[in-house]
Amino acid sequence: MTAGNWAATPEGSRDLLFDECARRRRNEACITEVLCHHGYSEVMTPALEYYDTQIQSGSPLQQEQMFKLTDREGRLLVLRPDNTTPIARLVGTRLKANQPPFRLYYSQPVFRSDSSHKGLSTQRWQAGLELIGPSGADADAEVLLLALAVLKACGIDNAHLELGHAGCFDTLVSALAKQAQAAGLAAPDAAQLRDLMAKKNYPALDEALAVYGDCPAARSLHELVLLFGGREVLKQAERLQLTQPVAHLAQLMSRLGDDVPVSLDLGLVGPLNYYTGLMFQVFLPDCGVPVITGGRYDNLLGRFGAALPAVGFALDLDLLSEVRA
């Protein structure tokens, strides 16, 4: 550290002053009021978690993204890098004697170190919810509508909802693996394909799929990345034999109704294989990054001894406050 830098905040962090604090608190209060009204209860988790908790949970975050330190016994800890994993731990331990469903919400920061952070802070304050126990379209629709409701409570009624489904990618990659085996070809690298699709690196994706030639699933993956738009996308997706994901998204669109601004991106994928069904993002006008991200993660709770389906979202309170300045 050079002379004089001791008085600065660490890279990726900043102080909040006066009006910034007031905006944050107002938004937080509006969000809390909506979630409490709909039967959600607040939980708080420690800022410090065991590193093994994150790794054993199958967290979508890479270890390089986590801030690490050790306790007095030398055990490796991390500053809380996400909110969903600690809440899953909480449900599997503290609430294991209780009967689901659990409707939980939180408002607390996460800490991530990411070289590709695109200007975002290493400390981000999130407000979000987890609906644990129910599955199916009704539960997913509840979470989607609450995502829009909390934004409306904060004075935003022109947010745009984007839906995807993890089953689209997973189904086609599984089919490609079988077709590759039958053709005597190497199995596809699912992690590589997922990463290329997440980054929308279409040239590299084409190159990775070229080895599979005319395999039907490879052609379908090429088509999948281009399937975005309105309700007509579901019709286009039927020929890819994505029966279950398409049917589920159609159910959701029906429950949301025609008045909800929504689009579909069937090529939407998340980091690693964290999500198991619905995936979604909520965008604000003139903002290129989503203010809310979420989805269904039915496999996470089982790692903590509570094999329950779950769906939730996280709202970036910092981004919301900046956009609503």
Side-chain angles (χ1 to χ4, degrees), residues 39-292:
Y40 284 75
S41 300
E42 186 176 16
V43 292
M44 297 180 181
T45 63
L48 291 173
E49 292 278 345
Y50 285 116
Y51 173 76
D52 287 346
T53 299
Q54 292 292 324
I55 299 304
Q56 295 302 318
S57 72
S59 169
L61 297 171
Q62 300 297 317
Q63 63 94 8
E64 293 85 359
Q65 295 177 268
M66 304 179 194
F67 288 98
K68 307 176 192 70
L69 63 160
T70 56
D71 65 11
R72 288 179 295 181
E73 282 73 41
R75 292 172 295 192
L76 193 58
L77 308 175
V78 293
L79 284 173
R80 181 178 53 232
D82 85 310
N83 280 305
T84 299
T85 298
I87 290 176
R89 173 191 53 72
L90 180 152
V91 171
T93 55
R94 300 291 303 280
L95 299 180
K96 62 182 179 181
N98 298 55
Q99 289 297 314
F102 303 109
R103 285 178 167 82
L104 309 175
Y105 81 89
Y106 58 84
S107 180
Q108 55 189 22
V110 295
F111 307 86
R112 298 178 191 168
S113 176
D114 191 343
S115 59
S116 61
H117 222 25
K118 301 178 182 178
L120 298 180
S121 300
T122 53
Q123 175 180 312
R124 304 296 292 181
W125 201 285
Q126 292 182 344
L129 65 81
E130 314 293 348
L131 174 54
I132 298 171
S135 61
D138 286 338
D140 288 354
E142 175 180 327
V143 170
L144 292 172
L145 291 172
L146 279 173
L148 297 176
V150 296
L151 290 176
K152 187 172 183 179
C154 295
I156 297 173
D157 55 11
N158 56 352
H160 185 86
L161 185 60
E162 183 179 271
L163 305 183
H165 196 290
C168 294
F169 175 83
D170 293 342
T171 298
L172 294 181
V173 169
S174 178
L176 180 58
K178 294 177 182 178
Q179 293 166 16
Q181 183 180 26
L185 299 172
D189 185 338
Q192 178 197 28
L193 295 178
R194 185 185 299 276
D195 182 64
L196 294 175
M197 288 190 69
K199 295 176 179 176
K200 300 193 181 297
N201 188 341
Y202 302 140
L205 179 65
D206 290 343
E207 183 179 347
L209 292 173
V211 67
Y212 300 104
D214 291 331
C215 285
R219 294 198 303 270
S220 295
L221 281 167
H222 278 288
E223 294 184 54
L224 186 68
V225 298
L226 301 176
L227 287 181
F228 54 86
R231 296 172 188 267
E232 72 281 356
V233 167
L234 295 179
K235 283 290 185 183
Q236 298 170 22
E238 288 178 355
R239 67 179 183 274
L240 303 185
Q241 299 183 356
L242 299 171
T243 305
Q244 193 276 332
V246 168
H248 187 71
L249 289 172
Q251 288 180 314
L252 282 176
M253 298 284 275
S254 175
R255 283 164 171 74
L256 293 175
D258 295 330
D259 295 333
V260 175
V262 59
S263 62
L264 295 161
D265 182 357
L266 299 194
L268 181 66
V269 297
L272 302 184
N273 57 351
Y274 182 75
Y275 291 112
T276 59
L278 168 71
M279 302 168 60
F280 68 94
Q281 304 179 124
V282 184
F283 291 89
L284 305 183
D286 303 319
C287 185
V289 295
V291 68
I292 293 178

Side-chain angles (χ1 to χ4, degrees), residues 20 23-24 27 316-325:
E20 294 174 303
R23 282 196 303 273
R24 163 84 67 76
N27 288 333
D316 189 329
L317 269 171
D318 292 317
L319 180 60
L320 177 63
S321 299
E322 292 163 9
V323 171
R324 296 294 295 169

